[in-house]
Amino acid sequence: QSALTQPASVSGSPGQSITISCTGTSSDVGGYAYVSWYQQYPGKAPKLIMYHIDYRPSGVSTRFSGSKSGNSASLTISGLQAEDEADYYCSSYSRTVNYVFGTGTKVTVL
Amino acid sequence: QVQLVQSGAEVKKPGASVKISCKASGHTFTNLFLHWVRQAPGQGLEWMAILKLSPGDIDYAQRFEGRVTVTRDTSTSTVYMEVSGLKTDDSAVYFCAGSPGWYSFDYWGQGTLVTVSS
């Protein structure tokens, strides 16, 4: 089971919206509502920003939203801000390998 | 609020073993799912193992089965991960992550850098 597929990089100007995709299979993303997203700054531990596809933990900005369709999930960041520049990883429960992460996406704020 | 505090950085030679600790506070230890996740330099996150709720069953990622051992000490709310037969490509930051539910990684330790070099 290889990692879930994410674009290597996504960029946008301040105030714009960007979307990060996360593609898996019917054994993971497509088969369960257990997709989560993590934000990671360089040299820091990841931080949970979305779980159960579209639930935000307390304290996470409402500018972050999640969705899923078929074997793909997405994270949208609205009103892009400089502080959103970080790496983002999706994760899903997997019927075959328990848990799998995405390949990671570097978000750049232009 | 759950806090996970990991042990410090380690430098090991190829073939050696390393044991990392992760001490939990702020939540009943036996009510937490605890995972180990690693991240090689410049690479993505890789799930390694999960310590489940009582009675504490453990599942390993297939590629680590037989080389990674997870244990726990409920008296100190600490989970341990030992990696044996270290190779240079085991050099990575190892994170513990915990959650009241098994479906996400809600809380993270600060990470432990393990460097494997001759």
Side-chain angles (χ1 to χ4, degrees), chain A residues 24-102:
Chain A
T25 69
S26 58
S27 296
D28 39 66
V29 175
Y32 303 94
Y34 302 130
V35 176
S36 52
W37 290 88
Y38 303 85
Q39 177 190 59
Q40 186 181 33
Y41 292 111
K44 300 295 186 182
K47 173 190 174 184
L48 176 69
I49 58 172
M50 197 72 59
Y51 66 98
H52 277 180
I53 301 174
D54 57 1
Y55 284 75
R56 272 187 310 276
S58 175
V60 173
S61 172
T62 56
R63 298 185 297 103
F64 293 94
S65 61
S67 64
K68 191 188 94 163
S69 177
N71 294 338
S72 291
S74 296
L75 176 74
T76 297
I77 309 175
S78 305
L80 197 63
Q81 298 180 1
E83 67 199 48
D84 300 329
E85 188 160 294
D87 293 327
Y88 292 82
Y89 293 91
C90 61
S91 177
S92 175
Y93 176 75
S94 165
R95 176 168 53 83
T96 56
V97 296
N98 281 311
Y99 299 89
V100 60
F101 283 98

